[in-house]
Amino acid sequence: VTDSSACVQWREALPWYTAGTLSAEVRAAVERHLASCPDCVRELAVWRALARSVQVEGRGVEPTLSFAASWEGLSVRLPASVGWSAAPRGAVWSNLAMAVGHLWQVIPAQARLLRRSVWIASAMAIVLAILYAATLPSHVGEQDVLAFALPLIAGTGVAFLYGPEIDPSLELALATPTSARAILFGRFALLFMYDALLALAGTTLLSVLHGDEFWALTLVWLGPTLLLSTISLALSLLLSPVVASGGAALLWLSRIAHFDNGLTLRITPAAFWSTTPQVLVISVVLLVLAVLYVPRQVRLVREE
Amino acid sequence: MPPDERALLARIAVGDQDALKCLYAAYRPRLWSYLWRQLDRDAGWTEEVVQDVFLAVWRSAKSYREEAQVATWLFRIAHNLAANARRARARRIQGQPFEEIDEGEEQSDMTATRSHEEGVLERLALAQALDRLAPRHREALDLAFYQGFSLNEIAAVLGVPVGTVKSRISYARRALQAQLDQMDTAEEQLSDR
């Protein structure tokens, strides 16, 4: 007498035995079991009937279009798939409009692909930083908190935008007609805008509460945030997200001279870490280089 | 032949259209059959999405990391594009979700074994029952028994854990059994009258 509960593991293997996709070793084990279990032999017959039915149905399905006609249709579409460079020469504005339109579609689509924790952690950290700054007296420390926290938060988030280590769907995302450059730029733009909008809302709140000038308060963090974000992005592409977040944090923390009273952070003044045209230009150059470089990054394209 | 297919992909990655044509000729029939069932048996729609798969291949051959067989990679792209296409059409037509049937609704008896191996009528009944399966269960059966993918390969194509593939296959089997039992009951009731 065969105990059917003992057959559970064999029953699981029967569809794959039927399909012929088991390893030789497992296949032999299944056959040994079948030799002594009439219940499983009956079950196998059901799977075989099912498999045969699927195969008969499958064989009846053939393309309606001839191969030649289908290939012609595909080959006509090929140039369009390699990007905007296929547009006629000289059509600079047309190319630009297509690029902007394309990014307009790519950016919202990337929102769903980014880790939820990136959104939540960034928002929580920014809110905490703003709340902490709000508790400090006007003109005493609040600027330092913004200048310290906001770039660090944005830079850390940006480090985790892209890469097979943090994005299991990357290979799939790359297997779509959307270019790696558009994906990277879309994600960066999305997260940076998200962080910047939250930071702007917080800055507005602080300027109302403390009577500070909104624009002056914004300039304290805007340039450093953009610069640290682009440095972090470049590091994450070149090395890895973890190195990028750590590297950006170290670079940023190295600027702290000392803690005052254990609460207020004093940041050494440095022209490099302020909102100046030079800083903005360096940031944009870093971003452009990162976006141009991404399809050539071996780590992202071919991992073995 | 996997090594040849990888060589084809390497040529496609540098813009060789002849290599793409070879791969297209090799895989179009299989992908067409797979997608036709995923796309409501709409030949025009299927043709379009099959071409989309190869556009994606043309665009992203460089990103193929040789972790999977070429066939698995292609079907993974096809599965993804078919899901997107169905989702887009569902949104456009009526705003309905495209995966309407929840796994685990069916609780028919797994041990209710009965051989349906013999007889044309029974085979026809099985074909009818197959047609009524939810797309994702039908898809799993198709990938296993017609496309010849292993359990792990199907998991890679569908982007789900191995356990989910097992449960889909097993669910499909139970659902078919339940449908066949229903048909038998209906026939018996008719013959009793």
Side-chain angles (χ1 to χ4, degrees), chain A residues 12 15-16 19 21 43 45-47 49-51 53 55 57-59 61-65 67 70-71 73-74 77-78 81-82 164 171 174-177 179-180 301-303, chain B residues 17 20-21 24-25 28 32 36-37 43 47-48 51-52 55-56 58-60 62-66 76-77 113-114 126 131 138 144-146 148 151 154 166 169 173 176:
Chain A
E12 274 195 0
W16 313 104
T21 49
E43 182 67 11
V46 177
W47 280 113
L50 174 54
S53 221
Q55 286 157 3
E57 284 244 309
R59 278 197 289 272
V61 180
E62 284 179 5
T64 47
L65 210 58
F67 177 76
S70 178
W71 170 251
L74 173 61
R77 295 174 68 193
L78 282 183
S81 75
V82 295
E171 190 177 18
L174 292 173
T176 64
S179 78
V301 171
R302 193 176 293 273
E303 275 212 335
Chain B
Q17 280 203 19
L20 185 74
K21 192 174 181 179
Y24 193 49
R28 180 172 173 254
W32 210 96
W36 182 74
R37 228 171 275 289
E47 182 66 35
E48 186 186 326
Q51 289 189 10
D52 287 346
L55 284 179
W58 178 251
R59 168 70 193 80
S60 59
K62 270 188 218 165
S63 75
Y64 172 66
R65 285 190 253 153
E66 298 184 17
R76 191 173 166 189
I77 295 171
T113 53
R114 215 197 84 184
L126 196 49
D131 284 347
R138 183 71 176 83
F145 296 131
Y146 185 64
L151 175 59
I154 297 175
K166 282 185 189 171
I169 293 275
R173 155 83 177 78
L176 283 171

Coordinates of all heavy atoms in Angstrom, one line a residue, chain A residues 12 15-16 19 21 43 45-47 49-51 53 55 57-59 61-65 67 70-71 73-74 77-78 81-82 164 171 174-177 179-180 301-303, chain B residues 17 20-21 24-25 28 32 36-37 43 47-48 51-52 55-56 58-60 62-66 76-77 113-114 126 131 138 144-146 148 151 154 166 169 173 176:
Chain A
E12 N 5.0 16.7 -7.0 CA 5.5 18.1 -7.4 C 6.4 17.9 -8.6 O 6.5 18.8 -9.4 CB 6.3 18.7 -6.2 CG 5.4 19.5 -5.3 CD 6.2 20.4 -4.4 OE1 7.4 20.4 -4.5 OE2 5.6 21.1 -3.6
P15 N 4.9 17.2 -13.1 CA 4.8 18.1 -14.3 C 6.2 18.3 -15.0 O 6.2 18.3 -16.3 CB 4.3 19.4 -13.8 CG 4.3 19.3 -12.3 CD 4.4 17.9 -11.9
W16 N 7.2 18.4 -14.3 CA 8.5 18.6 -14.8 C 9.1 17.3 -15.4 O 9.9 17.4 -16.4 CB 9.5 19.3 -13.8 CG 8.7 20.4 -13.1 CD1 8.2 20.3 -11.8 CD2 8.3 21.6 -13.7 NE1 7.5 21.5 -11.6 CE2 7.6 22.3 -12.7 CE3 8.5 22.2 -14.9 CZ2 7.0 23.5 -12.9 CZ3 8.0 23.5 -15.1 CH2 7.3 24.1 -14.1
A19 N 7.4 17.2 -18.7 CA 7.9 18.2 -19.6 C 9.4 17.8 -20.1 O 9.9 18.3 -21.0 CB 7.9 19.6 -19.0
T21 N 12.1 18.2 -18.3 CA 13.1 19.3 -17.9 C 13.8 19.0 -16.6 O 14.4 19.9 -16.0 CB 12.4 20.7 -17.9 OG1 11.3 20.6 -17.1 CG2 12.1 21.2 -19.3
E43 N -1.5 9.7 -11.8 CA -1.3 11.1 -11.8 C -0.5 11.6 -13.0 O -0.7 12.6 -13.6 CB -0.7 11.6 -10.5 CG -0.5 13.1 -10.3 CD -1.8 13.8 -10.2 OE1 -2.9 13.2 -10.1 OE2 -1.8 15.1 -10.3
A45 N -0.3 10.1 -15.8 CA -1.1 10.0 -17.0 C -1.9 11.3 -17.2 O -2.1 11.7 -18.3 CB -2.1 8.8 -16.9
V46 N -2.4 11.8 -16.1 CA -3.2 13.1 -16.2 C -2.3 14.2 -16.7 O -2.6 15.0 -17.6 CB -3.8 13.5 -14.8 CG1 -4.5 14.8 -14.9 CG2 -4.7 12.4 -14.3
W47 N -1.1 14.3 -16.1 CA -0.1 15.3 -16.6 C 0.2 15.2 -18.0 O 0.4 16.1 -18.8 CB 1.2 15.3 -15.7 CG 1.0 16.0 -14.4 CD1 1.0 15.4 -13.2 CD2 0.8 17.4 -14.2 NE1 0.8 16.3 -12.2 CE2 0.7 17.6 -12.8 CE3 0.7 18.5 -15.0 CZ2 0.5 18.8 -12.2 CZ3 0.5 19.7 -14.4 CH2 0.4 19.9 -13.0
A49 N -1.6 13.8 -20.4 CA -2.8 14.2 -21.2 C -2.8 15.7 -21.3 O -3.0 16.3 -22.4 CB -4.0 13.7 -20.6
L50 N -2.6 16.3 -20.2 CA -2.6 17.8 -20.1 C -1.5 18.4 -21.0 O -1.7 19.3 -21.8 CB -2.4 18.2 -18.6 CG -2.2 19.7 -18.3 CD1 -3.4 20.5 -18.9 CD2 -2.2 19.9 -16.8
A51 N -0.3 17.8 -20.9 CA 0.9 18.3 -21.7 C 0.6 18.1 -23.1 O 0.9 19.0 -24.0 CB 2.1 17.6 -21.3
S53 N -2.2 18.0 -24.6 CA -3.3 19.0 -25.1 C -2.6 20.4 -25.3 O -2.9 21.1 -26.3 CB -4.3 19.1 -24.0 OG -5.6 19.2 -24.5
Q55 N 0.5 21.0 -26.0 CA 1.3 20.9 -27.2 C 0.5 20.9 -28.5 O 0.9 21.6 -29.5 CB 2.2 19.6 -27.2 CG 3.3 19.8 -26.1 CD 3.8 18.4 -25.6 OE1 3.4 17.4 -26.1 NE2 4.7 18.5 -24.7
E57 N -2.4 22.2 -29.0 CA -2.9 23.6 -29.1 C -1.8 24.5 -29.6 O -2.0 25.4 -30.5 CB -3.4 24.1 -27.8 CG -4.7 23.6 -27.3 CD -5.7 24.6 -27.2 OE1 -5.5 25.7 -26.6 OE2 -6.8 24.5 -27.8
G58 N -0.6 24.4 -29.1 CA 0.5 25.2 -29.4 C 0.9 25.0 -30.9 O 1.2 26.0 -31.6
R59 N 0.9 23.8 -31.3 CA 1.3 23.5 -32.7 C 0.4 24.2 -33.7 O 0.8 24.4 -34.8 CB 1.5 22.0 -32.9 CG 2.8 21.5 -32.4 CD 3.0 20.1 -33.0 NE 2.2 19.1 -32.5 CZ 2.4 18.3 -31.4 NH1 3.5 18.5 -30.7 NH2 1.6 17.4 -31.0
V61 N -0.8 27.1 -33.7 CA -0.7 28.5 -33.7 C 0.5 28.9 -34.6 O 1.7 28.6 -34.2 CB -0.5 29.1 -32.3 CG1 -0.4 30.6 -32.3 CG2 -1.7 28.7 -31.4
E62 N 0.3 29.6 -35.6 CA 1.4 30.1 -36.5 C 1.2 31.6 -36.8 O 0.1 32.0 -36.9 CB 1.5 29.2 -37.7 CG 2.1 27.9 -37.5 CD 2.1 27.0 -38.7 OE1 1.8 27.5 -39.8 OE2 2.5 25.8 -38.6
P63 N 2.3 32.3 -37.1 CA 2.2 33.7 -37.5 C 1.3 33.8 -38.7 O 1.4 33.0 -39.6 CB 3.6 34.1 -37.7 CG 4.5 33.1 -37.0 CD 3.7 31.8 -37.0
T64 N 0.5 34.8 -38.8 CA -0.4 35.0 -39.9 C 0.4 35.7 -41.1 O 0.1 35.6 -42.2 CB -1.6 35.9 -39.5 OG1 -1.1 37.0 -38.8 CG2 -2.5 35.1 -38.7
L65 N 1.4 36.5 -40.7 CA 2.2 37.3 -41.7 C 3.4 36.4 -42.1 O 4.0 35.7 -41.3 CB 2.6 38.6 -41.0 CG 2.8 39.8 -41.9 CD1 1.5 40.2 -42.6 CD2 3.3 41.0 -41.0
F67 N 7.3 35.6 -43.0 CA 8.5 36.1 -42.4 C 9.0 37.3 -43.1 O 9.4 38.3 -42.5 CB 9.6 35.0 -42.3 CG 10.8 35.5 -41.7 CD1 11.0 35.6 -40.4 CD2 11.9 35.8 -42.5 CE1 12.1 36.1 -39.8 CE2 13.1 36.3 -42.0 CZ 13.2 36.5 -40.6
S70 N 7.0 40.3 -42.2 CA 7.2 40.7 -40.8 C 8.5 41.3 -40.6 O 8.7 42.4 -39.9 CB 7.0 39.4 -40.0 OG 7.3 39.8 -38.7
W71 N 9.6 40.8 -41.3 CA 10.9 41.3 -41.1 C 11.0 42.7 -41.7 O 11.6 43.6 -41.2 CB 12.0 40.4 -41.8 CG 13.3 41.1 -41.9 CD1 13.9 41.5 -43.0 CD2 14.2 41.4 -40.8 NE1 15.1 42.1 -42.7 CE2 15.3 42.0 -41.3 CE3 14.1 41.2 -39.4 CZ2 16.4 42.5 -40.5 CZ3 15.1 41.7 -38.6 CH2 16.2 42.3 -39.2
G73 N 8.6 44.8 -41.8 CA 7.9 45.7 -40.9 C 8.8 46.0 -39.7 O 8.9 47.2 -39.3
L74 N 9.6 45.0 -39.3 CA 10.5 45.3 -38.1 C 11.7 46.1 -38.6 O 12.0 47.1 -37.8 CB 11.0 43.9 -37.6 CG 12.1 44.0 -36.5 CD1 11.6 44.7 -35.3 CD2 12.5 42.6 -36.1
R77 N 11.1 49.7 -38.6 CA 11.1 50.3 -37.2 C 12.4 50.4 -36.6 O 12.6 51.1 -35.6 CB 10.1 49.5 -36.3 CG 8.7 49.5 -36.8 CD 7.8 48.6 -36.0 NE 7.7 49.1 -34.6 CZ 7.2 48.3 -33.6 NH1 6.8 47.1 -33.9 NH2 7.1 48.8 -32.4
L78 N 13.4 49.7 -37.0 CA 14.7 49.7 -36.3 C 15.4 51.0 -36.1 O 15.8 51.3 -35.0 CB 15.7 48.7 -37.1 CG 15.4 47.2 -36.8 CD1 16.5 46.4 -37.5 CD2 15.4 46.9 -35.3
S81 N 14.3 52.9 -33.2 CA 14.5 52.4 -31.8 C 15.9 52.7 -31.3 O 16.1 52.5 -30.1 CB 14.4 50.9 -31.9 OG 15.6 50.3 -32.5
V82 N 16.8 53.2 -32.1 CA 18.1 53.5 -31.6 C 18.2 54.9 -31.0 O 19.3 55.3 -30.5 CB 19.3 53.3 -32.6 CG1 19.4 51.8 -33.0 CG2 19.1 54.1 -33.8
P164 N 22.7 47.2 -10.5 CA 22.1 45.8 -10.3 C 22.1 45.4 -8.8 O 21.3 44.6 -8.4 CB 23.1 44.9 -11.1 CG 24.3 45.7 -11.3 CD 23.9 47.2 -11.3
E171 N 18.1 44.8 -15.3 CA 18.3 44.1 -16.5 C 17.1 44.2 -17.4 O 17.1 44.4 -18.6 CB 18.7 42.6 -16.3 CG 19.2 42.0 -17.6 CD 19.6 40.5 -17.4 OE1 19.3 39.9 -16.4 OE2 20.3 40.0 -18.2
L174 N 16.7 47.6 -18.7 CA 17.6 47.9 -19.8 C 17.1 47.2 -21.1 O 17.5 47.5 -22.2 CB 19.0 47.4 -19.4 CG 19.7 48.2 -18.3 CD1 21.0 47.6 -17.9 CD2 19.9 49.7 -18.8
A175 N 16.3 46.1 -20.9 CA 15.8 45.4 -22.0 C 14.5 46.0 -22.6 O 13.6 45.3 -23.1 CB 15.5 43.9 -21.6
T176 N 14.4 47.3 -22.5 CA 13.3 48.0 -23.1 C 13.9 49.1 -24.0 O 15.1 49.4 -23.9 CB 12.4 48.7 -22.0 OG1 13.2 49.7 -21.4 CG2 11.9 47.7 -21.0
P177 N 13.0 49.7 -24.9 CA 13.6 50.7 -25.8 C 14.0 51.9 -25.1 O 14.6 52.8 -25.8 CB 12.4 50.9 -26.7 CG 11.5 49.7 -26.6 CD 11.7 49.3 -25.2
S179 N 16.5 54.2 -23.2 CA 18.0 54.1 -23.0 C 18.4 54.2 -21.6 O 17.7 54.8 -20.7 CB 18.7 55.2 -23.8 OG 18.6 56.4 -23.1
A180 N 19.6 53.6 -21.3 CA 20.1 53.6 -19.9 C 20.3 55.1 -19.5 O 20.1 55.4 -18.3 CB 21.4 52.9 -19.9
V301 N 26.4 47.0 -17.3 CA 26.0 46.4 -18.6 C 26.2 44.9 -18.7 O 25.4 44.2 -19.1 CB 26.7 47.1 -19.8 CG1 26.4 46.4 -21.1 CG2 26.3 48.6 -19.9
R302 N 27.3 44.5 -18.2 CA 27.6 43.1 -18.3 C 28.3 42.6 -17.1 O 29.5 42.8 -16.9 CB 28.5 42.8 -19.6 CG 28.6 41.4 -20.0 CD 29.4 41.3 -21.2 NE 28.7 41.9 -22.3 CZ 27.9 41.2 -23.1 NH1 27.6 40.0 -22.9 NH2 27.3 41.8 -24.1
E303 N 27.6 41.8 -16.3 CA 28.1 41.3 -15.0 C 28.3 39.8 -15.2 O 27.4 39.1 -15.5 CB 27.2 41.6 -13.9 CG 27.4 42.9 -13.3 CD 27.1 42.9 -11.8 OE1 26.3 42.0 -11.4 OE2 27.6 43.7 -11.1
Chain B
Q17 N 22.4 44.0 -38.4 CA 21.0 43.7 -38.7 C 20.8 42.3 -39.2 O 19.8 41.7 -38.9 CB 20.5 44.7 -39.7 CG 20.1 46.0 -39.1 CD 19.0 46.8 -40.0 OE1 18.4 46.2 -40.8 NE2 19.0 48.1 -39.8
L20 N 20.4 40.1 -36.3 CA 19.0 40.3 -35.7 C 18.0 39.5 -36.5 O 17.2 38.8 -36.0 CB 18.6 41.8 -35.7 CG 17.3 42.1 -35.0 CD1 17.4 41.9 -33.5 CD2 16.7 43.4 -35.4
K21 N 18.2 39.5 -37.8 CA 17.3 38.8 -38.7 C 17.4 37.3 -38.4 O 16.4 36.6 -38.4 CB 17.7 39.1 -40.2 CG 16.6 38.6 -41.2 CD 17.0 39.1 -42.6 CE 15.9 38.6 -43.6 NZ 16.3 39.1 -44.9
Y24 N 15.6 36.6 -35.2 CA 14.2 36.8 -35.5 C 13.6 35.6 -36.1 O 12.6 35.1 -35.7 CB 14.0 38.0 -36.4 CG 12.6 38.6 -36.4 CD1 11.8 38.8 -35.3 CD2 12.0 38.9 -37.7 CE1 10.5 39.3 -35.4 CE2 10.7 39.4 -37.8 CZ 10.0 39.6 -36.6 OH 8.7 40.0 -36.7
A25 N 14.3 35.1 -37.1 CA 13.9 33.9 -37.8 C 13.8 32.7 -36.9 O 12.9 31.9 -36.9 CB 14.8 33.6 -39.0
R28 N 10.9 33.8 -33.9 CA 9.6 34.4 -34.1 C 8.5 33.4 -33.9 O 7.5 33.7 -33.3 CB 9.6 35.0 -35.5 CG 8.3 35.7 -35.9 CD 8.4 36.4 -37.2 NE 7.1 36.9 -37.6 CZ 6.4 36.4 -38.7 NH1 6.9 35.3 -39.3 NH2 5.2 36.8 -39.0
W32 N 5.7 34.1 -31.2 CA 4.4 34.4 -31.7 C 3.3 33.6 -31.1 O 2.3 34.0 -30.6 CB 4.4 34.2 -33.3 CG 3.5 35.1 -34.0 CD1 3.8 36.2 -34.6 CD2 2.1 34.9 -34.2 NE1 2.7 36.8 -35.2 CE2 1.6 36.0 -35.0 CE3 1.2 33.9 -33.8 CZ2 0.3 36.1 -35.3 CZ3 -0.2 34.0 -34.2 CH2 -0.6 35.1 -34.9
W36 N 0.6 35.2 -28.7 CA -0.8 35.2 -29.3 C -1.8 34.8 -28.2 O -2.8 35.4 -28.1 CB -0.8 34.1 -30.4 CG -2.1 34.0 -31.1 CD1 -2.7 34.8 -32.0 CD2 -3.0 32.9 -31.0 NE1 -3.9 34.4 -32.5 CE2 -4.1 33.1 -31.8 CE3 -3.0 31.7 -30.3 CZ2 -5.2 32.3 -32.0 CZ3 -4.1 30.8 -30.4 CH2 -5.2 31.1 -31.3
R37 N -1.4 33.8 -27.4 CA -2.2 33.4 -26.3 C -2.3 34.5 -25.2 O -3.3 34.7 -24.5 CB -1.7 32.1 -25.7 CG -2.8 31.1 -25.5 CD -2.2 29.8 -25.2 NE -1.7 29.0 -26.3 CZ -2.6 28.5 -27.2 NH1 -3.9 28.6 -27.1 NH2 -2.1 27.8 -28.2
A43 N -4.1 38.5 -33.8 CA -2.9 38.3 -34.6 C -2.2 39.6 -34.8 O -0.9 39.7 -34.8 CB -3.3 37.7 -35.9
E47 N 1.6 40.4 -33.6 CA 2.7 40.7 -34.6 C 3.4 42.0 -34.1 O 4.7 42.0 -34.1 CB 2.1 41.0 -36.0 CG 3.1 41.3 -37.0 CD 4.0 40.1 -37.4 OE1 3.6 39.0 -37.3 OE2 5.2 40.4 -37.7
E48 N 2.7 42.9 -33.6 CA 3.2 44.2 -33.1 C 4.1 44.0 -31.9 O 5.3 44.5 -31.9 CB 2.1 45.1 -32.8 CG 2.5 46.5 -32.4 CD 1.3 47.4 -31.9 OE1 0.2 47.2 -32.4 OE2 1.5 48.2 -31.0
Q51 N 7.4 42.2 -32.7 CA 8.3 43.1 -33.3 C 8.9 44.0 -32.1 O 10.1 44.3 -32.1 CB 7.7 44.0 -34.3 CG 7.4 43.2 -35.6 CD 6.9 44.1 -36.7 OE1 7.0 45.4 -36.7 NE2 6.5 43.5 -37.8
D52 N 8.1 44.4 -31.2 CA 8.6 45.2 -30.1 C 9.6 44.4 -29.3 O 10.6 45.0 -28.8 CB 7.4 45.5 -29.1 CG 6.5 46.5 -29.7 OD1 6.8 47.2 -30.7 OD2 5.3 46.7 -29.1
L55 N 12.7 44.8 -31.2 CA 13.2 46.2 -31.1 C 14.0 46.4 -29.8 O 15.0 47.0 -29.7 CB 12.1 47.2 -31.1 CG 11.4 47.5 -32.5 CD1 10.3 48.5 -32.3 CD2 12.4 48.1 -33.4
A56 N 13.4 45.8 -28.7 CA 14.1 45.8 -27.4 C 15.4 45.1 -27.4 O 16.4 45.5 -26.8 CB 13.1 45.2 -26.3
W58 N 17.3 44.7 -30.1 CA 18.2 45.6 -30.9 C 18.8 46.7 -30.0 O 19.9 47.0 -30.1 CB 17.4 46.1 -32.0 CG 18.1 47.1 -32.9 CD1 17.9 48.4 -33.0 CD2 19.1 46.8 -33.9 NE1 18.7 49.0 -34.0 CE2 19.5 48.0 -34.5 CE3 19.8 45.6 -34.2 CZ2 20.5 48.0 -35.5 CZ3 20.8 45.6 -35.2 CH2 21.1 46.9 -35.8
R59 N 17.9 47.2 -29.2 CA 18.3 48.4 -28.4 C 19.2 47.9 -27.2 O 20.0 48.7 -26.8 CB 17.0 49.0 -27.9 CG 17.1 50.0 -26.8 CD 17.8 51.3 -27.3 NE 18.2 52.1 -26.1 CZ 19.3 51.9 -25.4 NH1 20.1 50.8 -25.7 NH2 19.6 52.6 -24.4
S60 N 18.9 46.7 -26.7 CA 19.5 46.4 -25.4 C 20.4 45.1 -25.4 O 20.7 44.6 -24.4 CB 18.5 46.2 -24.3 OG 17.6 45.2 -24.7
K62 N 23.4 44.9 -25.7 CA 24.6 45.2 -24.9 C 24.3 44.8 -23.4 O 25.3 44.5 -22.7 CB 24.9 46.6 -25.0 CG 25.9 47.0 -26.1 CD 26.3 48.4 -25.9 CE 26.4 49.1 -27.3 NZ 26.5 50.5 -27.2
S63 N 23.1 45.0 -23.0 CA 22.8 44.8 -21.6 C 22.6 43.3 -21.2 O 22.4 42.9 -20.1 CB 21.6 45.6 -21.1 OG 20.4 44.9 -21.6
Y64 N 22.6 42.4 -22.2 CA 22.5 41.0 -22.0 C 23.7 40.5 -21.2 O 24.8 40.6 -21.7 CB 22.3 40.2 -23.3 CG 22.3 38.7 -23.1 CD1 21.3 38.1 -22.4 CD2 23.4 38.0 -23.7 CE1 21.4 36.7 -22.3 CE2 23.4 36.6 -23.5 CZ 22.4 36.0 -22.8 OH 22.4 34.6 -22.6
R65 N 23.5 40.0 -20.0 CA 24.6 39.7 -19.1 C 24.9 38.2 -19.1 O 25.7 37.7 -18.2 CB 24.3 40.2 -17.7 CG 24.4 41.7 -17.7 CD 24.4 42.1 -16.2 NE 23.1 42.8 -16.0 CZ 22.6 42.8 -14.8 NH1 23.1 42.2 -13.8 NH2 21.4 43.5 -14.6
E66 N 24.3 37.4 -19.9 CA 24.7 36.0 -20.1 C 24.4 35.2 -18.8 O 24.9 34.1 -18.6 CB 26.1 35.8 -20.5 CG 26.4 36.4 -21.9 CD 27.8 36.1 -22.4 OE1 28.4 35.2 -21.9 OE2 28.2 36.8 -23.3
R76 N 11.5 36.5 -21.3 CA 11.3 37.4 -20.2 C 10.9 38.8 -20.7 O 10.0 39.5 -20.2 CB 12.6 37.5 -19.4 CG 12.5 38.2 -18.1 CD 13.8 38.1 -17.4 NE 13.9 39.0 -16.3 CZ 15.0 39.2 -15.6 NH1 16.1 38.6 -15.9 NH2 15.0 40.0 -14.6
I77 N 11.6 39.2 -21.8 CA 11.3 40.5 -22.4 C 9.8 40.4 -22.9 O 9.0 41.3 -22.8 CB 12.2 40.9 -23.6 CG1 13.7 41.1 -23.0 CG2 11.8 42.1 -24.3 CD1 14.7 41.2 -24.1
T113 N -8.1 12.0 -8.9 CA -7.4 11.6 -10.2 C -8.3 10.8 -11.0 O -9.1 9.9 -10.6 CB -6.1 10.9 -9.9 OG1 -6.5 9.8 -9.1 CG2 -5.1 11.7 -9.2
R114 N -8.3 11.1 -12.3 CA -9.1 10.3 -13.3 C -8.3 10.5 -14.6 O -8.0 11.5 -15.0 CB -10.5 10.9 -13.4 CG -11.6 9.9 -13.6 CD -12.8 10.7 -14.1 NE -12.7 10.9 -15.5 CZ -13.6 11.5 -16.2 NH1 -14.6 12.1 -15.6 NH2 -13.5 11.6 -17.5
L126 N -10.7 18.8 -22.7 CA -9.5 19.3 -22.0 C -9.1 20.6 -22.7 O -8.7 21.6 -22.1 CB -8.3 18.3 -22.1 CG -7.1 18.5 -21.3 CD1 -7.5 18.8 -19.8 CD2 -6.2 17.2 -21.3
D131 N -8.7 26.6 -22.4 CA -9.1 27.9 -22.9 C -9.7 28.8 -21.8 O -9.7 30.0 -21.8 CB -10.1 27.8 -24.0 CG -9.4 27.4 -25.3 OD1 -8.2 27.5 -25.3 OD2 -10.1 27.1 -26.3
R138 N -2.5 29.6 -17.7 CA -2.3 29.1 -19.0 C -0.9 29.3 -19.5 O -0.2 28.5 -20.1 CB -3.3 29.8 -20.0 CG -3.3 29.3 -21.4 CD -3.9 27.9 -21.4 NE -4.0 27.4 -22.8 CZ -3.0 26.8 -23.5 NH1 -1.8 26.7 -22.9 NH2 -3.2 26.4 -24.7
A144 N 5.9 25.6 -19.7 CA 6.4 24.3 -19.3 C 6.3 23.2 -20.4 O 7.3 22.5 -20.7 CB 5.7 23.8 -18.0
F145 N 5.1 23.1 -21.0 CA 4.8 21.9 -21.8 C 5.0 22.2 -23.3 O 5.2 21.3 -24.1 CB 3.4 21.4 -21.5 CG 3.3 20.9 -20.1 CD1 2.2 21.3 -19.4 CD2 4.2 20.0 -19.6 CE1 2.1 20.8 -18.1 CE2 4.1 19.5 -18.3 CZ 3.0 19.9 -17.6
Y146 N 4.9 23.5 -23.7 CA 5.1 23.7 -25.1 C 6.4 24.4 -25.4 O 7.1 24.0 -26.3 CB 3.9 24.6 -25.7 CG 4.0 24.8 -27.2 CD1 3.9 23.7 -28.0 CD2 4.3 26.1 -27.7 CE1 4.0 23.9 -29.4 CE2 4.4 26.2 -29.1 CZ 4.3 25.1 -29.9 OH 4.4 25.3 -31.3
G148 N 9.0 24.3 -23.4 CA 10.0 23.5 -22.9 C 11.0 24.1 -21.9 O 12.1 23.7 -21.8
L151 N 11.7 24.6 -14.6 CA 11.0 25.3 -13.5 C 11.8 26.6 -13.2 O 11.2 27.7 -13.1 CB 11.0 24.4 -12.2 CG 10.6 25.0 -10.9 CD1 9.1 25.5 -11.0 CD2 10.7 24.0 -9.8
I154 N 11.4 29.2 -16.0 CA 10.0 29.8 -16.0 C 10.0 30.9 -15.0 O 9.5 32.0 -15.2 CB 8.9 28.8 -15.8 CG1 8.9 27.8 -17.0 CG2 7.5 29.5 -15.7 CD1 7.9 26.7 -16.8
K166 N 5.5 26.8 -9.2 CA 4.9 25.5 -8.8 C 3.4 25.6 -8.5 O 2.6 24.8 -8.9 CB 5.7 25.0 -7.6 CG 7.0 24.4 -7.8 CD 7.5 23.8 -6.5 CE 9.0 23.4 -6.6 NZ 9.5 23.0 -5.3
I169 N 1.3 26.1 -11.7 CA 1.1 24.9 -12.4 C 0.2 23.9 -11.7 O -0.8 23.4 -12.3 CB 2.5 24.1 -12.6 CG1 3.5 25.0 -13.5 CG2 2.4 22.7 -13.1 CD1 3.3 24.8 -15.0
R173 N -3.6 22.7 -12.9 CA -4.0 21.3 -12.9 C -5.3 21.1 -12.2 O -6.2 20.4 -12.6 CB -2.9 20.5 -12.3 CG -3.2 19.1 -11.7 CD -3.3 18.0 -12.8 NE -3.5 16.7 -12.1 CZ -4.7 16.3 -11.7 NH1 -5.8 17.1 -11.8 NH2 -4.8 15.1 -11.2
L176 N -8.3 22.7 -14.0 CA -8.7 21.9 -15.2 C -9.5 20.7 -14.7 O -10.6 20.4 -15.3 CB -7.5 21.4 -15.9 CG -6.8 22.4 -16.8 CD1 -5.5 21.9 -17.3 CD2 -7.7 22.8 -18.0

